[in-house]
Amino acid sequence: TEIELRDQYNASRNTVRDAIKWLITRGLVETRPGQGTFVVERINPFLTTLSDADTGGSGEVGVQLAQTVAARTFRATPPRLEIQEADGQVQHELELEPGATVVSRHQQRYIDDTPWSLQTSFYPFRLVEKGAVRLIQAGNIDEGTVEYLRKTLGTVQAGWRDTIMSRAPDYNETTFFRLPDDGRVAVIETMRTAYDQDKKPIRATLTVYPADRNRFVINVGEVPTMITEAESPAGSAATEPATAPENT
Protein backbone atom coordinates (compact mmCIF):
# COMPACT_ATOMS: atom_id res chain seq x y z
CA THR A 1 0.00 0.00 0.00
CA GLU A 2 1.02 3.65 -0.33
CA ILE A 3 1.30 3.97 3.46
CA GLU A 4 3.61 0.96 3.67
CA LEU A 5 5.80 2.32 0.86
CA ARG A 6 5.98 5.75 2.52
CA ASP A 7 7.09 4.20 5.80
CA GLN A 8 9.54 1.78 4.17
CA TYR A 9 11.32 4.44 2.10
CA ASN A 10 10.73 7.44 4.41
CA ALA A 11 9.26 9.29 1.43
CA SER A 12 6.43 11.72 0.96
CA ARG A 13 3.05 10.69 -0.39
CA ASN A 14 3.62 12.56 -3.66
CA THR A 15 7.02 10.94 -4.16
CA VAL A 16 5.54 7.47 -3.68
CA ARG A 17 2.69 8.22 -6.10
CA ASP A 18 5.10 9.59 -8.71
CA ALA A 19 7.27 6.47 -8.40
CA ILE A 20 4.26 4.16 -8.76
CA LYS A 21 3.02 6.11 -11.80
CA TRP A 22 6.51 5.85 -13.40
CA LEU A 23 6.55 2.07 -12.87
CA ILE A 24 2.97 1.69 -14.16
CA THR A 25 3.77 3.48 -17.44
CA ARG A 26 6.60 1.00 -17.98
CA GLY A 27 4.36 -1.99 -17.35
CA LEU A 28 6.27 -3.11 -14.25
CA VAL A 29 3.56 -2.72 -11.60
CA GLU A 30 -0.20 -2.36 -11.43
CA THR A 31 -2.52 -0.91 -8.82
CA ARG A 32 -5.59 -2.72 -7.55
CA PRO A 33 -8.21 -0.54 -5.87
CA GLY A 34 -8.41 -1.21 -2.15
CA GLN A 35 -5.49 -3.66 -2.23
CA GLY A 36 -2.30 -1.82 -3.15
CA THR A 37 0.41 -1.95 -5.79
CA PHE A 38 1.58 -5.27 -7.21
CA VAL A 39 4.44 -6.37 -9.44
CA VAL A 40 3.10 -7.36 -12.88
CA GLU A 41 3.38 -11.06 -13.64
CA ARG A 42 6.10 -11.70 -16.20
CA ILE A 43 5.04 -14.26 -18.81
CA ASN A 44 7.55 -16.12 -20.95
CA PRO A 45 6.54 -15.21 -24.52
CA PHE A 46 4.75 -17.67 -26.78
CA LEU A 47 6.21 -17.80 -30.30
CA THR A 48 3.77 -18.58 -33.11
CA THR A 49 4.88 -19.12 -36.71
CA LEU A 50 2.09 -17.59 -38.78
CA SER A 51 3.58 -18.69 -42.10
CA ASP A 52 3.50 -22.45 -41.40
CA ALA A 53 1.26 -24.59 -43.58
CA ASP A 54 -2.38 -24.38 -42.61
CA THR A 55 -3.37 -27.98 -43.17
CA GLY A 56 -5.71 -28.52 -40.26
CA GLY A 57 -3.90 -31.75 -39.43
CA SER A 58 -3.54 -30.75 -35.79
CA GLY A 59 -7.27 -30.94 -35.26
CA GLU A 60 -9.62 -28.26 -34.08
CA VAL A 61 -7.68 -27.33 -30.96
CA GLY A 62 -5.87 -24.99 -33.27
CA VAL A 63 -2.10 -25.31 -32.87
CA GLN A 64 0.50 -28.04 -33.20
CA LEU A 65 2.53 -27.97 -30.02
CA ALA A 66 4.93 -30.78 -30.87
CA GLN A 67 7.58 -28.09 -31.29
CA THR A 68 6.74 -26.40 -28.02
CA VAL A 69 8.98 -27.17 -25.07
CA ALA A 70 7.74 -30.12 -23.03
CA ALA A 71 7.27 -28.02 -19.92
CA ARG A 72 4.36 -26.19 -21.54
CA THR A 73 0.88 -27.58 -22.09
CA PHE A 74 -1.91 -26.47 -24.40
CA ARG A 75 -5.66 -26.73 -23.94
CA ALA A 76 -8.75 -25.21 -25.49
CA THR A 77 -12.36 -25.04 -24.49
CA PRO A 78 -14.88 -27.02 -26.56
CA PRO A 79 -16.14 -24.93 -29.50
CA ARG A 80 -19.12 -22.71 -28.77
CA LEU A 81 -21.41 -22.88 -31.81
CA GLU A 82 -23.67 -20.18 -33.18
CA ILE A 83 -25.67 -19.79 -36.37
CA GLN A 84 -25.96 -16.11 -37.11
CA GLU A 85 -26.19 -13.40 -39.73
CA ALA A 86 -22.80 -12.34 -41.03
CA ASP A 87 -21.68 -8.91 -39.84
CA GLY A 88 -19.85 -6.39 -42.01
CA GLN A 89 -16.31 -7.73 -41.70
CA VAL A 90 -17.23 -11.41 -41.95
CA GLN A 91 -19.64 -10.71 -44.79
CA HIS A 92 -16.88 -8.91 -46.64
CA GLU A 93 -14.22 -11.59 -46.04
CA LEU A 94 -16.51 -14.44 -47.10
CA GLU A 95 -17.96 -12.47 -50.03
CA LEU A 96 -21.53 -13.04 -48.89
CA GLU A 97 -24.77 -11.31 -49.74
CA PRO A 98 -26.36 -9.04 -47.07
CA GLY A 99 -28.24 -11.11 -44.50
CA ALA A 100 -26.37 -14.33 -45.35
CA THR A 101 -26.06 -16.96 -42.64
CA VAL A 102 -22.77 -18.19 -41.23
CA VAL A 103 -21.71 -20.78 -38.66
CA SER A 104 -19.31 -19.54 -35.98
CA ARG A 105 -17.14 -21.77 -33.79
CA HIS A 106 -15.46 -20.01 -30.85
CA GLN A 107 -12.75 -21.24 -28.47
CA GLN A 108 -10.74 -19.91 -25.55
CA ARG A 109 -7.16 -21.20 -25.69
CA TYR A 110 -4.51 -21.55 -22.99
CA ILE A 111 -0.83 -22.40 -22.65
CA ASP A 112 0.33 -23.46 -19.17
CA ASP A 113 -3.14 -22.39 -17.97
CA THR A 114 -2.28 -18.84 -19.04
CA PRO A 115 -4.89 -17.33 -21.39
CA TRP A 116 -3.16 -17.33 -24.78
CA SER A 117 -5.73 -16.44 -27.43
CA LEU A 118 -9.38 -16.20 -28.41
CA GLN A 119 -10.37 -17.68 -31.76
CA THR A 120 -13.59 -17.65 -33.77
CA SER A 121 -13.94 -19.24 -37.18
CA PHE A 122 -16.84 -18.37 -39.50
CA TYR A 123 -18.07 -20.66 -42.28
CA PRO A 124 -20.65 -19.93 -45.00
CA PHE A 125 -23.80 -21.89 -44.23
CA ARG A 126 -23.75 -23.24 -47.78
CA LEU A 127 -21.06 -25.70 -46.62
CA VAL A 128 -23.54 -27.20 -44.15
CA GLU A 129 -26.24 -27.36 -46.83
CA LYS A 130 -23.82 -29.28 -49.05
CA GLY A 131 -23.27 -31.89 -46.34
CA ALA A 132 -20.62 -30.60 -43.91
CA VAL A 133 -23.02 -31.04 -40.98
CA ARG A 134 -20.30 -31.49 -38.35
CA LEU A 135 -19.75 -27.75 -38.54
CA ILE A 136 -22.98 -27.31 -36.58
CA GLN A 137 -22.42 -30.20 -34.16
CA ALA A 138 -20.93 -29.86 -30.69
CA GLY A 139 -17.39 -31.04 -30.06
CA ASN A 140 -14.03 -30.74 -31.78
CA ILE A 141 -13.44 -31.81 -35.34
CA ASP A 142 -10.37 -33.83 -34.46
CA GLU A 143 -8.86 -34.07 -37.93
CA GLY A 144 -9.30 -30.33 -38.43
CA THR A 145 -11.94 -28.58 -40.48
CA VAL A 146 -9.66 -28.23 -43.50
CA GLU A 147 -9.26 -32.00 -43.75
CA TYR A 148 -12.94 -32.58 -42.90
CA LEU A 149 -14.10 -30.30 -45.73
CA ARG A 150 -11.72 -32.01 -48.14
CA LYS A 151 -13.02 -35.49 -47.29
CA THR A 152 -16.69 -34.54 -47.10
CA LEU A 153 -17.11 -32.05 -49.93
CA GLY A 154 -13.94 -32.33 -51.97
CA THR A 155 -13.24 -28.72 -51.00
CA VAL A 156 -9.48 -28.19 -50.96
CA GLN A 157 -7.94 -25.23 -49.17
CA ALA A 158 -5.66 -23.73 -51.81
CA GLY A 159 -4.41 -20.73 -49.85
CA TRP A 160 -5.19 -18.03 -47.34
CA ARG A 161 -4.71 -14.34 -46.64
CA ASP A 162 -3.76 -12.94 -43.23
CA THR A 163 -4.66 -9.42 -42.12
CA ILE A 164 -3.00 -8.31 -38.89
CA MET A 165 -3.78 -5.26 -36.77
CA SER A 166 -3.18 -3.93 -33.26
CA ARG A 167 -5.90 -2.32 -31.15
CA ALA A 168 -7.03 -1.70 -27.59
CA PRO A 169 -8.78 -4.66 -25.92
CA ASP A 170 -12.51 -4.66 -25.27
CA TYR A 171 -14.03 -5.50 -21.89
CA ASN A 172 -14.34 -9.25 -22.55
CA GLU A 173 -10.73 -9.48 -23.77
CA THR A 174 -9.44 -7.48 -20.81
CA THR A 175 -11.26 -9.83 -18.45
CA PHE A 176 -10.24 -13.10 -20.14
CA PHE A 177 -6.57 -12.20 -20.59
CA ARG A 178 -6.44 -10.49 -17.17
CA LEU A 179 -5.06 -7.29 -18.68
CA PRO A 180 -4.82 -3.87 -16.98
CA ASP A 181 -8.12 -2.07 -17.43
CA ASP A 182 -6.46 1.15 -18.61
CA GLY A 183 -5.82 -0.25 -22.10
CA ARG A 184 -2.03 0.11 -21.99
CA VAL A 185 -1.59 -3.52 -23.12
CA ALA A 186 -2.83 -3.87 -26.68
CA VAL A 187 -4.19 -6.96 -28.39
CA ILE A 188 -3.13 -8.25 -31.80
CA GLU A 189 -5.97 -9.32 -34.08
CA THR A 190 -5.41 -11.58 -37.05
CA MET A 191 -8.05 -12.32 -39.67
CA ARG A 192 -7.23 -15.35 -41.81
CA THR A 193 -9.41 -15.83 -44.87
CA ALA A 194 -9.01 -19.25 -46.51
CA TYR A 195 -9.85 -19.97 -50.16
CA ASP A 196 -10.68 -23.18 -52.02
CA GLN A 197 -9.39 -24.41 -55.36
CA ASP A 198 -11.91 -22.16 -57.14
CA LYS A 199 -10.66 -19.09 -55.23
CA LYS A 200 -13.88 -18.90 -53.22
CA PRO A 201 -13.61 -18.07 -49.49
CA ILE A 202 -14.50 -21.00 -47.24
CA ARG A 203 -13.47 -19.75 -43.81
CA ALA A 204 -12.70 -16.53 -41.96
CA THR A 205 -10.82 -17.08 -38.70
CA LEU A 206 -10.51 -14.19 -36.25
CA THR A 207 -7.85 -14.70 -33.56
CA VAL A 208 -7.04 -12.26 -30.77
CA TYR A 209 -3.74 -12.38 -28.85
CA PRO A 210 -2.62 -10.16 -25.96
CA ALA A 211 0.57 -8.32 -26.90
CA ASP A 212 2.24 -8.86 -23.51
CA ARG A 213 2.81 -12.60 -24.04
CA ASN A 214 2.90 -13.27 -27.77
CA ARG A 215 5.51 -12.99 -30.51
CA PHE A 216 5.08 -13.94 -34.15
CA VAL A 217 7.40 -15.37 -36.77
CA ILE A 218 6.84 -15.25 -40.53
CA ASN A 219 9.26 -17.30 -42.64
CA VAL A 220 9.64 -16.71 -46.38
CA GLY A 221 11.79 -18.97 -48.55
CA GLU A 222 14.56 -21.25 -47.32
CA VAL A 223 15.64 -20.06 -43.89
CA PRO A 224 17.46 -21.86 -41.05
CA THR A 225 15.60 -23.22 -38.06
CA MET A 226 14.90 -20.43 -35.63
CA ILE A 227 16.94 -20.30 -32.43
CA THR A 228 14.69 -19.57 -29.50
CA GLU A 229 15.62 -17.26 -26.67
CA ALA A 230 15.89 -20.30 -24.43
CA GLU A 231 18.69 -21.58 -26.68
CA SER A 232 20.36 -18.23 -27.29
CA PRO A 233 23.46 -16.99 -25.43
CA ALA A 234 21.26 -14.59 -23.46
CA GLY A 235 19.53 -17.63 -22.01
CA SER A 236 16.17 -16.04 -21.30
CA ALA A 237 13.26 -18.45 -21.33
CA ALA A 238 10.86 -18.75 -24.25
CA THR A 239 8.92 -21.40 -26.08
CA GLU A 240 10.00 -22.79 -29.38
CA PRO A 241 7.75 -21.68 -32.22
CA ALA A 242 4.25 -23.10 -32.35
CA THR A 243 2.62 -23.39 -35.73
CA ALA A 244 -0.06 -21.21 -37.23
CA PRO A 245 -3.36 -20.76 -35.40
CA GLU A 246 -6.27 -22.89 -36.67
CA ASN A 247 -8.78 -24.67 -36.96
CA THR A 248 -12.03 -24.01 -35.16
Side-chain angles (χ1 to χ4, degrees):
T1 65
E2 285 188 8
I3 294 176
E4 291 171 332
L5 291 171
R6 285 163 51 190
D7 292 343
Q8 181 176 346
Y9 293 102
N10 193 26
S12 70
R13 180 180 183 182
N14 286 338
T15 298
V16 168
R17 288 189 169 182
D18 286 344
I20 291 173
K21 184 182 299 183
W22 188 89
L23 293 170
I24 288 174
T25 60
R26 285 153 180 80
L28 299 174
V29 303
E30 61 182 357
T31 58
R32 301 174 189 171
Q35 299 182 54
T37 302
F38 295 80
V39 175
V40 172
E41 179 186 4
R42 305 299 293 181
I43 303 174
N44 290 338
F46 310 132
L47 271 64
T48 299
T49 304
L50 295 180
S51 51
D52 278 358
D54 178 7
T55 63
S58 61
E60 192 164 20
V61 292
V63 62
Q64 296 176 5
L65 294 178
Q67 297 182 33
T68 303
V69 291
R72 292 194 162 181
T73 57
F74 171 81
R75 69 178 177 89
T77 59
R80 187 184 73 221
L81 308 180
E82 292 185 14
I83 298 175
Q84 60 195 79
E85 183 176 315
D87 64 14
Q89 184 182 18
V90 172
Q91 178 187 333
H92 172 75
E93 294 295 332
L94 294 179
E95 301 176 9
L96 300 173
E97 297 294 329
T101 301
V102 294
V103 177
S104 68
R105 298 173 65 88
H106 173 78
Q107 288 179 297
Q108 299 174 337
R109 310 192 298 171
Y110 302 79
I111 293 179
D112 290 347
D113 289 327
T114 298
W116 172 50
S117 62
L118 293 168
Q119 186 175 92
T120 307
S121 287
F122 301 88
Y123 300 88
F125 198 76
R126 68 172 184 270
L127 298 177
V128 178
E129 294 172 333
K130 290 181 179 180
V133 294
R134 288 175 62 190
L135 291 177
I136 57 173
Q137 294 175 354
N140 287 321
I141 299 176
D142 293 333
E143 69 272 33
T145 55
V146 173
E147 179 64 11
Y148 169 64
L149 292 176
R150 185 188 69 81
K151 289 181 177 180
T152 305
L153 305 180
T155 298
V156 177
Q157 178 174 286
W160 68 88
R161 177 188 296 115
D162 282 345
T163 304
I164 304 172
M165 64 174 286
S166 176
R167 59 172 174 79
D170 62 25
Y171 175 79
N172 290 333
E173 293 159 352
T174 297
T175 301
F176 174 69
F177 294 122
R178 301 195 288 269
L179 300 177
D181 59 9
D182 57 9
R184 68 177 180 271
V185 176
V187 294
I188 301 165
E189 178 183 293
T190 68
M191 173 63 83
R192 171 164 292 184
T193 305
Y195 297 87
D196 66 13
Q197 63 270 38
D198 297 321
K199 298 183 179 180
K200 294 181 179 180
I202 55 174
R203 185 186 76 242
T205 297
L206 180 67
T207 311
V208 178
Y209 304 87
D212 65 346
R213 70 203 66 171
N214 283 286
R215 299 181 184 178
F216 302 99
V217 177
I218 297 177
N219 296 315
V220 178
E222 297 296 327
V223 296
T225 301
M226 182 176 178
I227 299 176
T228 67
E229 291 187 10
E231 300 167 325
S232 69
S236 58
T239 66
E240 296 182 10
T243 60
E246 288 320 310
N247 276 308
T248 49

